[in-house]
Amino acid sequence: DQQVKQNSPSLSVQEGRISILNCDYTNSMFDYFLWYKKYPAEGPTFLISISSIKDKNEDGRFTVFLNKSAKHLSLHIVPSQPGDSAVYFCAAGSGGYQKVTFGIGTKLQVIP
Amino acid sequence: DAGVIQSPRHEVTEMGQEVTLRCKPISGHDYLFWYRQTMMRGLELLIYFNNNVPIDDSGMPEDRFSAKMPNASFSTLKIQPSEPRDSAVYFCASSSQGRSPLHFGNGTRLTVT
């Protein structure tokens, strides 16, 4: 049973446009959410996070939106750049949250 | 900071052989995690340690899998005997106290033939 779902395995976007990556979760106990980015042959790297007490968190070109009632979060990248081409993992945790559950990832391709 | 260091980067072995994966976490990090990545299941948590003590090993798939952390700077994940379905990329990650993000190593790609 996947508690964190990323239903789009891949996404292609033109350079300069907005990329929107989506994530759904089923566990109401999750209260902390993260996005990680992964390049080939490397480990995932932390990108941005959001606590359940917020509905938006922004860091430069990256913004994460959280809709708790829908159990949905999204990552917006504006403007998209070719270097953003990677696999993006959504992750969620609760409490001390050291135990984090990951989605299966969405592969983003930004076309120059 | 050198980051989380994993070895080997690639491991090819025959079914039935013992495989040992190694990890050196970031100095000062209290938590160490072992994840496995497959196409079908994404990143799965196998086990994690806090201050060298295993806290949750519910993700370890079978008794063939074992993990140890003899000190704060070293951990191993062992598979004995290995099977073809164990083929995956295995990641080690570490983090400090509180809600701090995970720092991943570059992984070990395991192929069992």
Side-chain angles (χ1 to χ4, degrees), chain A residues 15-32:
Chain A
E15 181 179 3
R17 305 295 292 269
I18 184 171
S19 294
I20 300 176
L21 295 96
N22 294 302
C23 178
D24 298 294
Y25 61 96
T26 58
N27 189 339
S28 316
M29 299 301 291
F30 288 146
D31 61 359
Y32 200 83

Side-chain angles (χ1 to χ4, degrees), chain A residues 31-32 36 41 43 95 97-99, chain B residues 9 33 56 98-100 102 105:
Chain A
D31 61 359
Y32 200 83
Y36 285 79
Y97 114 96
Q98 245 53 37
K99 184 174 178 177
Chain B
R9 287 301 308 273
F33 306 79
D56 186 343
R99 292 186 165 186
S100 57
L102 302 176

Side-chain angles (χ1 to χ4, degrees), chain A residues 10-106:
Chain A
S10 63
L11 175 67
S12 289
V13 174
Q14 287 290 134
E15 181 179 3
R17 305 295 292 269
I18 184 171
S19 294
I20 300 176
L21 295 96
N22 294 302
C23 178
D24 298 294
Y25 61 96
T26 58
N27 189 339
S28 316
M29 299 301 291
F30 288 146
D31 61 359
Y32 200 83
F33 306 88
L34 311 95
W35 286 92
Y36 285 79
K37 180 170 71 174
K38 183 185 179 303
Y39 293 120
E42 296 183 8
T45 56
F46 170 71
L47 190 57
I48 193 169
S49 64
I50 187 167
S51 167
S52 60
I53 62 173
K54 295 185 176 182
D55 54 18
K56 177 182 174 182
N57 189 26
E58 194 170 352
D59 184 1
R61 296 185 298 113
F62 302 90
T63 303
V64 57
F65 295 92
L66 175 62
N67 182 334
K68 290 186 290 294
S69 60
K71 294 191 177 66
H72 177 84
L73 63 155
S74 60
L75 175 68
H76 292 211
I77 307 173
V78 183
S80 301
Q81 299 174 352
D84 297 329
S85 297
V87 176
Y88 289 79
F89 290 97
C90 173
S94 61
Y97 114 96
Q98 245 53 37
K99 184 174 178 177
V100 173
T101 301
F102 283 82
I104 64 171
T106 296

Side-chain angles (χ1 to χ4, degrees), chain B residues 71-88:
Chain B
N71 57 63
S73 60
F74 184 66
S75 177
T76 59
L77 177 68
K78 185 177 293 186
I79 308 172
Q80 165 64 18
S82 57
E83 296 183 3
R85 60 193 166 122
D86 301 331
S87 297

